[in-house]
Amino acid sequence: MNKWRFALQKRWFGYLGVAILFAIICVMLSNWQLSRRDEREVEIDRVNRNFDATPVQIEDVLPTLDGFNENDRWLPVEVTGTYLPEKELLVRNRPHDGQPGYEILTPLQLDNGNIFVVNRGWIPTGNDADRPESVPRPPSGEVTVVARLKAGEAEIKGRGAPEGQLATIRLDDAAATFGQPTYTGAYGLLASESPESPDPRPAEVKRPEPDEGPHLSYAFQWIIFALMAFGFLGYAVREEYRRVNSDDPEENRRATERARKKALRVTDADIEDELLDGKH
């Protein structure tokens, strides 16, 4: 027991406390990665369930102007109304396939007077950094639109936009410019419209890829880091044990025996090398 008395020193309890604290943090980070993976799996399931579903009437999923259930994200809705191109808004700094551009938000006025915001797609920037070269016109007159629902975006502090543009798809800001009752719980990503616009259609939003991300591997890595903390502590204890007991004849005998066995250990590679050398 005297050989291990050094391990009762306060500093070793401190090292153990640090290792335990580090391990707890690693486990928490691992659980966080697993929760993020669960969120991705839920979103993948939501896309698979809703993206190609049969369109439903907007009243069935948005009974109030400011209501929205996240489980209905990507669900197609069918609405009929008239586009109001004079109140159209551009959302700036929207990348698409690695290129900067804008997304077009066109208000669709329904028969009851309410406005449903339709994201008609993406267009690239022009020579003027603050404006696109041209904006495709929406179809005139009554139009039937199928759009996939998405929640509005949060405000980004410190980011502004010129008149007629938005920094993010913050539906409350859009509604303030329209001056009419507007759905602020969700907007729609254009899937189809009838009749179609005479202008080329903006680039539409692609179906999200079913990618869980690297969260599972990251979770395993954090667990490995936690185990490594105790492995390093054990290694440090072993080295301290050997140093403290370096004058012990029994320990010296064991160390010598270990070194001798290591020197005599013959590996398969060593045998193969000897056989090859014997052929020359």
Side-chain angles (χ1 to χ4, degrees):
M1 181 64 183
N2 291 338
K3 297 179 180 180
W4 293 97
R5 183 172 296 175
F6 73 92
L8 299 178
Q9 297 175 3
K10 290 183 178 180
R11 64 188 178 95
W12 288 106
F13 287 102
Y15 296 155
L16 177 61
V18 171
I20 292 174
L21 178 61
F22 178 76
I24 291 174
I25 294 174
C26 288
V27 170
M28 292 174 63
L29 290 171
S30 177
N31 289 335
W32 175 64
Q33 289 291 345
L34 290 175
S35 66
R36 293 192 65 189
R37 178 175 180 264
D38 291 341
E39 292 173 1
R40 290 298 306 154
E41 288 183 331
V42 169
E43 180 65 10
I44 291 171
D45 180 68
R46 184 183 292 127
V47 171
N48 291 337
R49 183 178 66 252
N50 291 344
F51 200 88
D52 294 322
T54 302
V56 299
Q57 296 301 309
I58 192 170
E59 299 83 6
D60 295 338
V61 288
L62 299 179
T64 62
L65 294 179
D66 59 353
F68 180 59
N69 188 326
E70 281 294 315
N71 289 328
D72 294 327
R73 184 160 54 195
W74 304 109
L75 183 68
V77 296
E78 184 177 276
V79 289
T80 299
T82 304
Y83 280 125
L84 304 178
E86 69 277 6
K87 296 185 177 182
E88 199 165 62
L89 296 170
L90 297 177
V91 189
R92 60 190 292 110
N93 298 323
R94 309 295 283 199
H96 181 81
D97 289 340
Q99 296 183 346
Y102 300 85
E103 291 181 8
I104 308 170
L105 300 185
T106 309
L108 182 72
Q109 188 171 37
L110 311 185
D111 293 339
N112 59 7
N114 293 337
I115 286 181
F116 179 63
V117 179
V118 178
N119 185 332
R120 294 177 46 235
W122 178 89
I123 54 176
T125 57
N127 294 327
D128 186 347
D130 289 332
R131 299 288 303 179
E133 290 291 336
S134 62
V135 179
R137 294 171 297 168
S140 59
E142 187 175 80
V143 59
T144 297
V145 171
V146 174
R148 295 183 175 92
L149 295 178
K150 280 198 73 178
E153 299 172 355
E155 178 184 8
I156 299 179
K157 296 294 184 181
R159 180 179 294 183
E163 184 178 356
Q165 298 183 17
L166 297 174
T168 64
I169 305 179
R170 191 167 185 266
L171 296 176
D172 287 335
D173 292 344
T177 67
F178 301 150
Q180 296 174 243
T182 302
Y183 284 95
T184 56
Y187 68 98
L189 296 168
L190 180 63
S192 67
E193 55 191 6
S194 179
E196 295 183 353
S197 169
D199 291 349
R201 180 177 168 179
E204 63 181 308
V205 175
K206 299 178 181 178
R207 181 186 181 121
E209 294 292 334
D211 183 12
E212 294 181 357
H215 303 301
L216 184 60
S217 62
Y218 288 164
F220 285 138
Q221 286 179 16
W222 284 116
I223 295 298
I224 292 173
F225 291 155
L227 296 175
M228 287 174 62
F230 293 104
F232 288 141
L233 181 62
Y235 174 79
V237 171
R238 187 189 68 174
E239 292 301 307
E240 183 74 358
Y241 174 86
R242 291 178 176 176
R243 185 187 67 80
V244 170
N245 297 284
S246 59
D247 296 334
D248 189 327
E250 181 63 20
E251 287 301 320
N252 289 333
R253 186 192 66 77
R254 291 177 181 176
T256 303
E257 182 65 18
R258 286 194 296 267
R260 186 185 67 81
K261 289 182 178 180
K262 184 176 180 180
L264 293 176
R265 190 178 298 124
V266 179
T267 65
D268 292 340
D270 294 330
I271 296 174
E272 184 178 346
D273 290 340
E274 290 181 5
L275 293 174
L276 291 174
D277 291 340
K279 294 179 180 180
H280 296 287

